[in-house]
Amino acid sequence: MYGGYKNDDMYSNTDQSLLGSNAVQVRRYDTAGAETEEAIAREKRREVEDVEVGIREIAECQQTLADLVAQDGDKLREADNVMGDAQHKTSEGIYQLQQANSNAKSARKRMCCGIVFLLLLVATIVIIVVVMKK
């Protein structure tokens, strides 16, 4: 025989020991890989949680802004109503001033007529008195 059996056995033992140590190394790499994947997964979960917190904060800011806009809207509507009332009252005031001016002109005319009438009456009485004395 060629002596191949003994050498073949020797190679197969060496191959088996190499395979065994490689298997241990592969398991170590698998374990290290699994730990790395777990670390990556934990990091992703932490980042997702951070994003969720950020989204909640943005939602709170939007709600606060919406509340402020609603409050300002109420104030603007109230101011608009007040301005509308002021415009209406100003228009009424202008109308009343025009009426008062017209009434004042009429009153001046009546007063002038009354004064002229009184002067004529006094003049008539004076003329009657003077004519009667003669």
Side-chain angles (χ1 to χ4, degrees), residues 89-107:
K89 288 180 180 180
T90 301
S91 296
E92 284 181 12
I94 290 171
Y95 176 75
Q96 289 175 358
L97 285 172
Q98 289 170 345
Q99 290 296 324
N101 189 25
S102 176
N103 290 341
K105 284 181 183 179
S106 294

Side-chain angles (χ1 to χ4, degrees), residues 34-63:
E35 289 174 359
T36 302
E37 288 177 11
E38 286 178 24
I40 291 171
R42 280 193 303 271
E43 181 66 22
K44 285 182 181 179
R45 279 192 299 270
R46 187 186 64 74
E47 288 175 358
V48 167
E49 289 171 356
D50 289 346
V51 168
E52 287 175 352
V53 167
I55 289 172
R56 276 191 223 110
E57 289 174 353
I58 289 171
E60 289 173 7
C61 288
Q62 286 178 331
Q63 184 60 45

